[in-house]
Amino acid sequence: MRKNRPAVLFLISFAVLLVSFYLLIAWNPVNDAVIVPFTAGITSVSALVLNALGEGVTVVGTRMSSARFAVDVENGCNGVEAMLLLVSAVIAFPSRLRPKITGILIGFVLIQLLNLVRVVSLFWLGVHNPRLFQIFHTAIWQTVIVLCALTFFTLWSRRVTERRGTVENPHS
Amino acid sequence: MKTRILSAVGGLTLGLLVWLGLSESYGSFLARVNEPLLRMTEERKVSRLIARPDGIVVERTDFPRSSPRPVVPISDLTFNVILLMALFGWSRAPLATRNVSRLCIALLLLSLTHVLGVFVTVKAIYALKLGSWSQAHYSRFERNVWGVLEHFYRLVGMYAFAFVLWWGLGTRGVEAGPSKARRQRVSKT
């Protein structure tokens, strides 16, 4: 039981942080002032890339459309869920403040780059191969994004543990 | 590291095949388990859940005959099995008996969260998506509670359950501490 204590403490902290951050971003004033404009920004950048690929996309807020396909980028497609998981896990894991900040910043960039690829590729699939769009949209890309966030966390926690010289991460 | 990435991809692929192959029968199972649970929360036992290939149809004996029936898309609530299997594939010895047996336990526990997910989704349909009927039968507080629970489950809860199960049950036989390369560097100095 004593051996498992750090893992149990980590899981409890992770759960509490995750619920707290979720309630924060789900709160309407935060959602309207932060999440929606952030998602609109992701949509605009994705449209830039798609137009560079010749897809002829127009953007209104979080909605992208072309002559052949349209999509509304919502929560679940903006990388926010993966960020919530990563930030909660990084903060819950015992380490100094500086590695936490570094981990969160690098993780944010990686997740958003991957999410950009997700949004662009899903739109492309919606235009050119609609049958594959649903399965990639529902299952594959969601899993890949979250898996990458968790893999990054595992590697980050391993590095933090190595630098600290203690034996705490059972998944290194 | 390459080996672990490949085995994680293998786990993801296997998870995808399991999820695609068993969706329909799993949906039947979730419908059969959730129907009595829902009825336990009702004064008049009116809810019926009917499994179909595209999801679980929510039926109530007090629905008007002509109104469309809500459908719970099971695939949207259960695909975290793919994530769980990919995470267990990430283990250093993914095919070891210990890892496989812990994966089986994790899958069993994950299925309990799927039961919860379907239950919450149906309650959210009743509380939020049936227009004036929802407003008449659910207080504002209840509508908020079911809405938040459903939204939480779909946005982050599904992934968090898979992560927590993996973190808690994943093979502890792997070495905890510096990587092999680092240990070799340390031993040479």
Side-chain angles (χ1 to χ4, degrees):
Chain A
M1 184 61 125
R2 255 175 119 179
K3 208 168 79 171
N4 287 334
R5 201 167 163 223
V8 171
L9 280 173
F10 165 76
L11 289 176
I12 292 171
S13 307
F14 170 76
V16 168
L17 285 165
L18 185 67
V19 170
S20 305
F21 286 135
Y22 165 77
L23 290 173
L24 178 65
I25 63 139
W27 187 37
N28 277 337
V30 172
N31 181 67
D32 294 344
V34 179
I35 303 299
V36 171
F38 175 72
T39 309
I42 291 169
T43 312
S44 298
V45 173
S46 304
L48 279 172
V49 175
L50 284 162
N51 284 332
L53 297 172
E55 291 297 327
V57 168
T58 55
V59 174
V60 177
T62 59
R63 187 178 161 85
M64 274 193 306
S65 54
S66 70
R68 295 168 66 182
F69 190 68
V71 68
D72 196 354
V73 181
E74 294 179 342
N75 276 340
C77 292
N78 53 13
V80 168
E81 74 286 359
M83 278 308 303
L84 290 184
L85 291 164
L86 178 66
V87 169
S88 302
V90 165
I91 295 176
F93 193 81
S95 77
R96 291 172 181 261
L97 182 61
R98 196 172 165 184
K100 287 188 198 290
I101 294 173
T102 313
I104 288 170
L105 288 175
I106 295 174
F108 173 80
V109 171
L110 288 173
I111 288 171
Q112 288 306 318
L113 282 174
L114 196 58
N115 193 61
L116 178 64
V117 175
R118 163 167 64 171
V119 174
V120 168
S121 65
L122 282 176
F123 192 93
W124 188 91
L125 275 176
V127 173
H128 299 282
N129 201 331
R131 277 183 307 171
L132 283 181
F133 170 82
Q134 197 51 43
I135 191 172
F136 270 81
H137 175 245
T138 301
I140 295 177
W141 263 121
Q142 279 298 70
T143 302
V144 168
I145 295 266
V146 173
L147 189 58
C148 287
L150 297 179
T151 304
F152 174 78
F153 165 71
T154 306
L155 295 172
W156 170 87
S157 62
R158 176 181 174 174
R159 193 173 170 88
V160 161
T161 307
E162 284 176 1
R163 284 188 168 179
R164 199 171 54 219
T166 57
V167 177
E168 284 190 25
N169 184 350
H171 295 289
S172 305
Chain B
M1 179 59 74
K2 258 188 238 173
T3 319
R4 292 183 74 175
I5 291 172
L6 281 172
S7 60
V9 171
L12 190 151
T13 309
L14 184 63
L16 185 62
L17 292 172
V18 166
W19 176 71
L20 284 171
L22 296 179
S23 267
E24 213 172 306
S25 41
Y26 192 51
S28 301
F29 161 75
L30 289 173
R32 272 201 303 274
V33 170
N34 264 287
E35 187 175 292
L37 288 177
L38 282 165
R39 288 180 165 215
M40 275 166 53
T41 66
E42 296 169 347
E43 280 182 30
R44 289 168 43 232
K45 316 294 180 194
V46 294
S47 290
R48 270 191 66 211
L49 301 181
I50 304 161
R52 268 194 344 212
D54 60 333
I56 293 176
V57 177
V58 181
E59 178 68 71
R60 286 175 64 104
T61 54
D62 53 1
F63 273 167
R65 276 193 183 181
S66 56
S67 63
R69 298 324 193 216
V71 178
V72 176
I74 290 304
S75 52
D76 289 2
L77 304 179
T78 59
F79 69 86
N80 55 353
V81 68
I82 304 171
L83 175 65
L84 185 70
M85 292 184 76
L87 287 170
F88 270 83
W90 173 256
S91 300
R92 282 198 182 165
L95 297 177
T97 309
R98 195 169 176 185
N99 193 54
V100 172
S101 57
R102 284 178 181 233
L103 170 62
C104 292
I105 295 169
L107 285 169
L108 208 65
L109 293 171
L110 194 71
S111 70
L112 294 178
T113 71
H114 292 158
V115 171
L116 176 73
V118 170
F119 181 86
V120 162
T121 302
V122 174
K123 292 300 264 187
I125 288 172
Y126 288 167
L128 294 164
K129 295 176 186 170
L130 299 180
S132 52
W133 187 93
S134 297
Q135 303 221 340
H137 290 82
Y138 288 84
S139 66
R140 188 174 173 175
F141 175 74
E142 286 170 319
R143 293 200 301 275
N144 282 335
V145 165
W146 290 117
V148 165
L149 286 175
E150 192 217 5
H151 190 242
F152 178 82
Y153 178 84
R154 285 199 186 221
L155 191 68
V156 288
M158 292 178 62
Y159 314 112
F161 289 138
F163 171 65
V164 165
L165 285 171
W166 170 70
W167 190 270
L169 289 171
T171 310
R172 289 183 179 273
V174 299
E175 291 174 26
S179 63
K180 184 178 172 183
R182 181 169 168 83
R183 289 199 308 277
Q184 286 172 342
R185 283 198 299 273
V186 168
S187 66
K188 278 177 190 169
T189 57

